[in-house]
Amino acid sequence: MLRTCAVQPRRRAAAAALTALVARQQRSGYGSSDPADGCYGGLYPDHIPTNHLQKALLAVGSGFAALNNPYRHDMVAVLGETTGHVALINLRDRMRNDPEGYTILTERPRIRLSTLDLRKMASLPNGSFGREYLRFLEDNHVTPDSRADVRFVDNEELAFVMQRYREVHDLLHTLLGMPTNMLGEVAVKWFEAAQTGLPMCILGAALGPLRLNSSRLQSLLTSLGPWAVRNGRRARCVLSIFYERRWDQSLEDLRRELNIEPPPIALSAPSQVNV
């Protein structure tokens, strides 16, 4: 009990320091994307430059906040940006060495409601990737616009790689057949940890099981977890797929192309929102 009481003030202090740092950077004009300025305060819209010490402070503060409340999407996002430099370089290089991935790096597509033709996707046959992705959004009550913009990655190309990872996350749920309940999220995190090497994903994969009840934990350890890690390691780089040009491809064919096995068990969509 004494240890818990001691940890809580440190968590609050770290979170407060994180909030103060972001506010100070924003008041200074970093990340301004006013078109009238003719340029950005950083390397791209919303960029907030930080030095190594500030990044360490952000990582610690966001890590404590995310551990305390995994539904703090903003803190999870900051943690990913401040700890993922090496993994982002590796992902960028994998995309550069893939013809389709190179095209994505060149054209910089975004997955947003404004870029999706929902009417066309709804008209696609059942089993097509686009129709199943739209069904995932409807069943789980989520939207691609909920993904935060990158701010703390100090390289414009790597920032796009991180942004692409975030916007592909819901597509991975569709590919893997995982809903947005806690078990589904942890299974996707195990896949992402093996596939991307992002520290944020590894941390989520390690700590996520602590929030599962005994029956779901058993399902993860005996079935979903090994399947997710195995497929994450052997699958083609999931950031190197131009999904926006593959909506009419069947989900089954796309899984085969990416070397992803169908899920060993079926999970139902939750009533809660995405985490």
Side-chain angles (χ1 to χ4, degrees), residues 1-204:
M1 178 65 70
L2 289 177
R3 178 173 298 179
T4 301
C5 292
V7 168
Q8 289 299 332
R10 288 201 296 271
R11 289 182 175 178
R12 288 194 293 269
L18 169 63
T19 302
L21 173 60
V22 173
R24 185 166 63 251
Q25 296 275 26
Q26 290 175 330
R27 285 197 301 269
S28 300
Y30 291 127
S32 171
S33 57
D34 186 350
D37 294 338
C39 63
Y40 302 126
L43 298 173
Y44 49 85
D46 298 319
H47 175 231
I48 300 177
T50 49
N51 58 35
H52 293 302
L53 178 60
Q54 290 170 325
K55 277 188 171 56
L57 181 61
L58 286 166
V60 172
S62 60
F64 275 129
L67 287 174
N68 190 52
N69 182 4
Y71 294 94
R72 283 293 304 272
H73 308 159
D74 53 342
M75 295 296 98
V76 174
V78 172
L79 180 63
E81 294 173 29
T82 54
T83 61
H85 183 71
V86 173
L88 288 174
I89 291 175
N90 292 333
L91 288 169
R92 188 271 313 276
D93 291 346
R94 292 173 67 184
M95 294 178 73
R96 284 181 174 178
N97 292 325
D98 183 288
E100 195 169 355
Y102 183 80
T103 301
I104 294 170
L105 284 175
T106 302
E107 297 189 12
R108 308 290 175 88
R110 296 292 304 272
I111 302 174
R112 316 288 287 181
L113 285 178
S114 60
T115 67
L116 299 177
D117 188 341
L118 299 181
R119 181 175 299 179
K120 180 179 180 180
M121 293 170 70
S123 69
L124 293 172
N126 291 330
S128 64
F129 179 59
R131 185 66 189 89
E132 297 309 315
Y133 171 57
L134 183 59
R135 194 189 315 279
F136 165 83
L137 296 179
E138 294 170 342
D139 290 348
N140 293 276
H141 310 290
V142 295
T143 167
D145 288 355
S146 64
R147 299 301 167 187
D149 289 332
V150 174
R151 295 182 294 170
F152 297 106
V153 177
D154 295 329
N155 177 286
E156 188 271 339
E157 189 174 41
L158 296 183
F160 171 76
V161 174
M162 175 60 82
Q163 192 71 51
R164 186 68 176 175
Y165 156 74
R166 286 181 185 165
E167 295 180 2
V168 162
H169 178 78
D170 287 340
L171 300 177
L172 291 185
H173 273 275
T174 305
L175 280 170
L176 299 174
M178 292 292 106
T180 61
N181 60 24
M182 187 57 70
L183 178 57
E185 288 289 351
V186 174
V188 173
K189 274 293 174 281
W190 281 37
F191 177 94
E192 290 178 336
Q195 166 81 195
T196 69
L198 285 165
M200 172 194 65
C201 296
I202 296 172
L203 183 64

Side-chain angles (χ1 to χ4, degrees), residues 220-240:
L220 177 71
L221 297 179
T222 61
S223 181
L224 283 178
W227 162 80
V229 172
R230 181 174 65 252
N231 283 272
R233 287 176 175 171
R234 73 181 191 178
R236 180 180 168 188
C237 179
V238 294
L239 300 187
S240 294

Side-chain angles (χ1 to χ4, degrees), residues 255-266:
R255 282 175 174 166
R256 279 198 295 265
E257 181 182 342
L258 297 180
N259 206 20
I260 294 176
E261 303 169 1
I265 59 176

